[in-house]
Amino acid sequence: MPVMAYFPQAVASTRSPRVSLQRPIPIDFRHEAGMVRGDLHVVSATGGRARTPKPVVAGAVVELMMGTSEGPIRGIVEMLKARQMIHGWVQPFRFLALADEDFDRLKKVIQGAA
């Protein structure tokens, strides 16, 4: 994995704009116990929300990989508390580190969905 150059900083008084994706993006969360695949439905510059068949433990720091029309995006994320739904789980996460190229791709995905 390349050196992570972008470290998103959430400002408590300003919420990063979120966009709902018309077409979910396939996403993988890789961690010590294996991998959980899902579909990304909501994304922002500081994190996102995916639907997964099983949850990843809240607080876990994992590698994220998603294939977008702008190219692959890889980064390090912290998993937040998942909620069970009728068909799987809603799994939120926040970005901890992204390479500059990955952050540029992420911005393009957000702009294209807005």
Side-chain angles (χ1 to χ4, degrees):
M1 169 154 279
V3 175
M4 298 290 137
Y6 174 72
F7 303 97
Q9 299 295 315
V11 178
S13 63
T14 306
R15 186 172 181 173
S16 180
R18 279 129 175 84
V19 295
S20 294
L21 303 171
Q22 289 229 238
R23 288 192 177 144
I25 295 172
I27 190 168
D28 295 338
F29 299 104
R30 298 169 192 235
H31 53 94
E32 292 176 359
M35 180 175 65
V36 174
R37 291 184 175 213
D39 294 307
L40 182 66
H41 287 263
V42 177
V43 68
S44 76
T46 58
R49 191 170 63 228
R51 291 190 187 214
T52 59
K54 60 183 180 179
V56 179
V57 176
V61 175
V62 304
E63 180 182 354
L64 167 144
M65 170 67 174
M66 60 179 143
T68 73
S69 60
E70 302 297 331
I73 298 174
R74 296 178 74 154
I76 304 298
V77 299
E78 177 186 11
M79 304 309 288
L80 304 176
K81 185 178 179 183
R83 292 182 324 212
Q84 189 167 18
M85 304 298 281
I86 293 172
H87 299 288
W89 294 80
V90 172
Q91 180 73 66
F93 61 89
R94 71 180 184 98
F95 291 111
L96 297 179
L98 293 166
D100 287 336
E101 300 82 26
D102 292 306
F103 183 63
D104 290 341
R105 287 186 201 111
L106 177 64
K107 288 192 301 188
K108 288 177 184 176
V109 168
I110 293 168
Q111 289 169 351

